[in-house]
Amino acid sequence: MKLPTITINKVAFGHFDEAVRSEWLVTNGLGGYASSTVLGVNTRKYHGLLVAALHPPGDRTVCLAKLDEEVSVGRNSYPLGTNEFRDKIFPQGHVHLKEFALDPFPSYVYEVQDIEVRKTVFMPKEKNAVAIQYKVLNHGGAEAKIRVYPLLTCRHFHSVINRSSNPPSFSQQQNGGKIEFSFNNPEATVVVRSTISDFNENPVWIERLYYCEEASRGESSTDDCYQPGYFEVLVPHKRDRDFAIVAAASENSQQCRETLDSVGSTIYDVNALFTSEVETRANLLTTFYDVHNQVAASDWLNWILLAADAFVAKGAGDRKSVLAGYFWFETWGRDTFISLPGLLLATGKFEDARQILSEFMSHSKQGLIPNFIQDRSGEPSYNTVDATLWYVNAVLQYLKYTGDFEFVQQQLWKKLKTIIESHQKGTSFGIHLDSDGLLAHGPQLTWMDAEVDGEGVTPRAGKAVEIQALWYNALKTMQLLANKFDEVRLADRYSAMAVEAQESFNAKFWNAENGLFDVVADSGVDASLRPNQIVAAALDFTMLDKERTERVVTLVQRELVTPYGLRTLARFDSRYRGMYVGDRRSRDQAYHNGTVWAWLLGPYVTACRKAQVSSDYELKNRLMSLFTQQTVQAGLGTISEVFDGDAPYEPRGCIAQAWSVAEPLRAYLEDVLWVRPKYEKEVFQA
């Protein structure tokens, strides 16, 4: 299977401010990653060539910030690295950049006089390590010399270093072509090795590196990195040299060395590992198309499939989890179960889906699935009303794809029943079944949970529209399961609860002007036109008839749909914010008040299909801008978290978001191409 390629040429590099916004990401399946810009300048504190997950999939730590190169011919030296400081770009090695390509790993080609330097970055699967391959071609008549300068650090990826106020504590030792660093806070070992040359110590601190993206977000934006010296390689005239720099990190020094050794000590070892990693990605695509032989292969779809794989990480005990987004998002229950159908079921990763369903259920407490599992401590938080309901929906989708009722009955069924009972009786955060059969809840428990100065921007306390839709969907799913497992009385009870919820919902939520109220509460109704109502039209079990479904879809399409997703608030609303920019306060005020979310295209396309208001061609076109245009902006080969509500809909937030990839992918396969889940009919006949 031919892997997709994105290529950027020298003309684009002349527009520095535009080019520097294009970023690449390589993940290692542990939660760690490598990332930078196509110009090689780090613009975020989250950038780095080795950001290791010291406690997979969490505790992500920037260990190797970057490698800066310098080429010398005779008395002339040419820096290839590029760094930004508050008042200048220095050095400006990007002027020698001839080409950048992602194919599928990031590759830089620099040209200086008659010297060409090709630099390729990749990460071995499930290793906290990175390998940077170099191929230097000297077409000139004189010997050339290339020096590679590592910039080291050891800091949690949310933080930066100011050595004046808080100097890092570490020791280092050199052994030939290998240099090892032992850091004290955080406690970690980082080893960097060359396959061809000794290390030359020449320690210096590169201070006050400036991260422009962090500055624009109102975050800490200056950083100090340690440059311990350099590796040096001589390249005779009319010759070429291949070598690699490999880095590894771990809390345990012995494990760090073992990881480094597993990558290999020669360029042949590294090249063989690179070939293996490329084959792994090619095989992932081949397997998908073998199973889905009715799906035509394309570069954009290949990027989406590869992007989907990047969010699945292995942790302790080989347990799998879904990272909500790169860079800063961790394991969120809501994001996991909205994403699971697209990331794991539509792509055939059923064992991973089983593990994740089991793992989250093991953390259930008082009938709630965790909203969030702490990165460092692993402690779950339960401040959500919808993660649990999305979980039940994910169980239904799992059954549609696998028909595996045995797993659900043996591993999940008892606690699924506890979930419904707990919601009936009342559980944490004011979540309880009200006398009208609808689910009431406290503020800031839905996905629209941004806050400013401790106050919810969109608190939505009472009865939010998508929560009622998910509750009804959960009751009907439980009715289906109870019938399947011969618990007829229980099935009848779930059925009666669902009927009551449906009657109350249609009586209280229907709003002829704007489709469905966004929230119904004792204090009144919220008639804001938001995209949450599209969920009520998209789920397998819906409380809406065809006429009302069509009305919801039409309203959402007219007021909220953009090329990259759905706005979170109609533009005519006085609270509408069309730009997701500025400091955290400004961004949080816009987050759910106009900002466009790509994941909502999934339920929107599904609702259009159910309402039969769009052709296959129209539905495909709804997704194509996201798939073909956004994958070559911002995070190359993946899809951003959010976009501005106003044209030109600039990408914002995380450069790679799990549900931004998952839901549009699921909708494309299921609702545009009609690649329906294998056991769908059997499940609903149950």
Side-chain angles (χ1 to χ4, degrees):
M1 170 63 65
K2 183 179 180 297
L3 289 166
T5 300
I6 296 171
T7 302
I8 301 175
N9 60 32
K10 194 174 182 67
V11 174
F13 303 144
H15 305 280
F16 183 94
D17 290 340
E18 293 180 21
V20 81
R21 294 192 64 195
S22 293
E23 303 171 59
W24 54 264
L25 171 73
V26 177
T27 61
N28 67 356
L30 293 177
Y33 64 86
S35 182
S36 188
T37 65
V38 301
L39 296 181
V41 54
N42 290 350
T43 60
R44 303 180 187 267
K45 60 188 174 186
Y46 302 98
H47 281 156
L49 287 182
L50 177 56
V51 183
L54 295 181
H55 294 102
D59 208 5
R60 282 166 281 182
T61 303
V62 183
C63 298
L64 176 63
K66 65 197 306 264
L67 297 175
D68 282 342
E69 301 80 21
E70 181 182 70
V71 172
S72 297
V73 182
R75 295 182 178 180
N76 298 319
S77 294
Y78 306 90
L80 305 185
T82 303
N83 292 309
E84 185 171 5
F85 300 87
R86 280 193 182 273
D87 57 347
K88 62 183 174 181
I89 307 294
F90 179 82
Q92 298 187 21
H94 64 282
V95 300
H96 303 298
L97 187 58
K98 177 183 176 183
E99 180 183 278
F100 173 88
L102 197 65
D103 60 348
F105 296 110
S107 181
Y108 297 83
V109 180
Y110 296 91
E111 196 171 62
V112 176
Q113 292 190 1
D114 294 320
I115 313 297
E116 182 179 282
V117 179
R118 181 177 294 271
K119 172 185 179 180
T120 302
V121 180
F122 77 96
M123 300 188 87
K125 192 75 168 177
E126 296 179 359
K127 298 181 189 297
N128 274 320
V130 65
I132 301 91
Q133 298 166 298
Y134 288 91
K135 187 176 187 66
V136 184
L137 296 91
N138 184 355
H139 301 294
E143 180 182 71
K145 178 170 59 181
I146 179 170
R147 288 180 174 178
V148 181
Y149 296 84
L151 266 67
L152 270 294
T153 185
C154 189
R155 58 172 174 80
H156 193 265
F157 71 163
H158 287 313
S159 64
V160 292
I161 288 177
N162 183 333
R163 63 185 292 254
S164 297
S165 60
N166 188 22
S169 174
F170 64 93
S171 60
Q172 70 182 62
Q173 57 181 342
Q174 180 192 348
N175 181 10
K178 180 173 70 175
I179 186 164
E180 181 174 315
F181 303 85
S182 297
F183 292 89
N184 296 324
N185 185 25
E187 187 174 316
T189 297
V190 181
V191 183
V192 185
R193 179 169 66 192
S194 167
T195 61
I196 198 172
S197 64
D198 287 347
F199 187 78
N200 299 277
E201 290 194 44
N202 184 25
V204 63
W205 279 88
I206 308 299
E207 298 182 332
R208 313 302 286 171
L209 288 162
Y210 179 65
Y211 303 135
C212 61
E213 284 293 333
E214 301 306 323
S216 71
R217 298 172 65 240
E219 299 285 329
S220 50
S221 57
T222 57
D223 195 20
D224 298 341
C225 285
Y226 179 61
Q227 188 184 86
Y230 57 88
F231 299 98
E232 184 174 271
V233 177
L234 300 178
V235 187
H237 70 283
K238 305 298 183 183
R239 298 286 297 276
D240 60 76
R241 281 284 185 271
D242 290 359
F243 65 98
I245 306 297
V246 180
S250 174
E251 274 193 324
N252 179 282
S253 59
Q254 181 60 33
Q255 186 179 56
C256 182
R257 296 182 196 112
E258 290 173 358
T259 299
L260 190 74
D261 290 342
S262 71
V263 178
S265 59
T266 72
I267 187 61
Y268 306 105
D269 297 329
V270 175
N271 288 347
L273 190 56
F274 174 82
T275 300
S276 174
E277 292 298 323
V278 171
E279 288 175 351
T280 296
R281 284 155 178 76
N283 290 339
L284 183 150
L285 299 178
T286 298
T287 299
F288 175 84
Y289 289 114
D290 284 347
V291 173
H292 304 86
N293 52 29
Q294 69 273 54
V295 178
S298 63
D299 266 11
W300 65 261
L301 181 54
N302 290 343
W303 280 124
I304 298 299
L305 293 169
L306 292 173
D309 189 60
F311 299 102
V312 183
K314 185 175 79 170
D318 292 341
R319 292 190 296 268
K320 295 295 181 70
S321 60
V322 171
L323 292 177
Y326 293 96
F327 307 101
W328 48 81
F329 284 122
E330 298 154 0
T331 301
W332 290 81
R334 175 187 298 122
D335 299 58
T336 293
F337 297 110
I338 290 175
S339 301
L340 188 142
L343 293 187
L344 301 177
L345 300 179
T347 57
K349 300 182 180 72
F350 303 139
E351 178 56 34
D352 288 349
R354 270 191 295 273
Q355 285 189 28
I356 290 170
L357 288 168
S358 294
E359 175 67 13
F360 265 85
M361 187 59 94
S362 73
H363 288 292
S364 65
K365 180 180 178 182
Q366 296 180 325
L368 295 178
I369 294 293
N371 183 39
F372 174 64
I373 297 178
Q374 296 284 345
D375 190 354
R376 293 183 176 181
S377 69
E379 287 296 312
S381 301
Y382 296 88
N383 56 327
T384 172
V385 64
D386 58 341
T388 306
L389 303 178
W390 281 114
Y391 179 96
V392 178
N393 182 66
V395 172
L396 175 62
Q397 305 313 311
Y398 172 80
L399 288 170
K400 286 163 58 179
Y401 273 92
T402 66
D404 189 4
F405 282 97
E406 182 179 357
F407 162 73
V408 173
Q409 185 173 24
Q410 292 182 358
Q411 302 294 323
L412 309 180
W413 179 232
K414 184 177 179 179
K415 288 191 174 181
L416 283 170
K417 290 187 286 187
T418 300
I419 284 172
I420 302 300
E421 291 169 8
S422 297
H423 282 67
Q424 280 184 277
K425 295 175 182 177
T427 184
S428 304
F429 308 104
I431 300 169
H432 67 278
L433 190 64
D434 209 350
S435 57
D436 58 3
L438 298 175
L439 203 62
H441 54 83
Q444 288 179 261
L445 299 177
T446 74
W447 79 282
M448 291 187 166
D449 55 2
E451 64 177 40
V452 172
D453 298 331
E455 295 293 325
V457 179
T458 49
R460 305 182 75 224
K463 299 168 185 174
V465 61
E466 80 278 13
I467 303 306
Q468 312 315 313
L470 286 162
W471 173 243
Y472 177 81
N473 187 70
L475 290 173
K476 296 297 289 183
T477 298
M478 294 297 286
Q479 178 190 345
L480 182 155
L481 291 174
N483 277 320
K484 178 69 176 180
F485 301 149
D486 296 322
E487 298 190 35
V488 179
R489 286 186 180 178
L490 193 58
D492 289 344
R493 181 151 64 90
Y494 291 145
S495 176
M497 292 170 66
V499 168
E500 183 181 16
Q502 183 174 18
E503 290 175 351
S504 295
F505 181 81
N506 278 285
K508 295 185 175 184
F509 273 84
W510 185 249
N511 172 14
E513 184 178 351
N514 283 339
L516 292 167
F517 291 120
D518 192 57
V519 181
V520 171
D522 292 341
S523 57
V525 297
D526 180 355
S528 304
L529 182 50
R530 298 187 182 276
N532 301 302
Q533 61 182 296
I534 203 68
V535 174
L539 293 167
D540 282 312
F541 296 108
T542 176
M543 295 181 282
L544 300 176
D545 59 25
K546 188 174 186 298
E547 182 179 348
R548 289 189 171 184
T549 299
E550 288 179 7
R551 177 66 176 154
V552 166
V553 170
T554 300
L555 283 164
V556 168
Q557 180 174 305
R558 186 184 71 203
E559 299 293 345
L560 304 178
V561 173
T562 75
Y564 298 139
L566 273 59
R567 295 185 184 92
T568 40
L569 187 64
R571 286 172 292 181
F572 58 71
D573 195 297
S574 61
R575 297 163 296 172
Y576 174 78
R577 299 288 187 95
M579 301 281 284
Y580 182 74
V581 294
D583 60 16
R584 184 172 299 185
R585 179 189 181 91
S586 176
R587 286 180 283 120
D588 282 344
Q589 287 174 333
Y591 209 32
H592 300 114
N593 280 326
T595 297
V596 168
W597 290 74
W599 80 268
L600 292 166
L601 275 179
Y604 169 73
V605 167
T606 298
C608 287
R609 172 61 72 195
K610 293 185 74 170
Q612 298 177 329
V613 297
S614 301
S615 66
D616 292 351
Y617 176 79
E618 289 170 328
L619 291 181
K620 182 177 180 179
N621 280 347
R622 287 292 181 197
L623 295 166
M624 279 304 100
S625 293
L626 189 70
F627 287 151
T628 62
Q629 296 175 28
Q630 214 284 298
T631 49
V632 294
Q633 299 174 312
L636 300 179
T638 187
I639 298 178
S640 295
E641 176 191 7
V642 294
F643 302 81
D644 287 340
D646 292 342
Y649 314 110
E650 289 289 338
R652 307 289 186 184
C654 277
I655 66 167
Q657 194 78 358
W659 58 14
S660 295
V661 171
E663 265 300 282
L665 173 60
R666 178 203 59 77
Y668 175 72
L669 295 173
E670 291 183 357
D671 300 313
V672 176
L673 299 186
W674 281 103
V675 183
R676 303 301 302 179
K678 182 177 180 180
Y679 296 93
E680 185 173 36
K681 290 182 180 179
E682 176 185 319
V683 166
F684 289 121
Q685 286 170 356

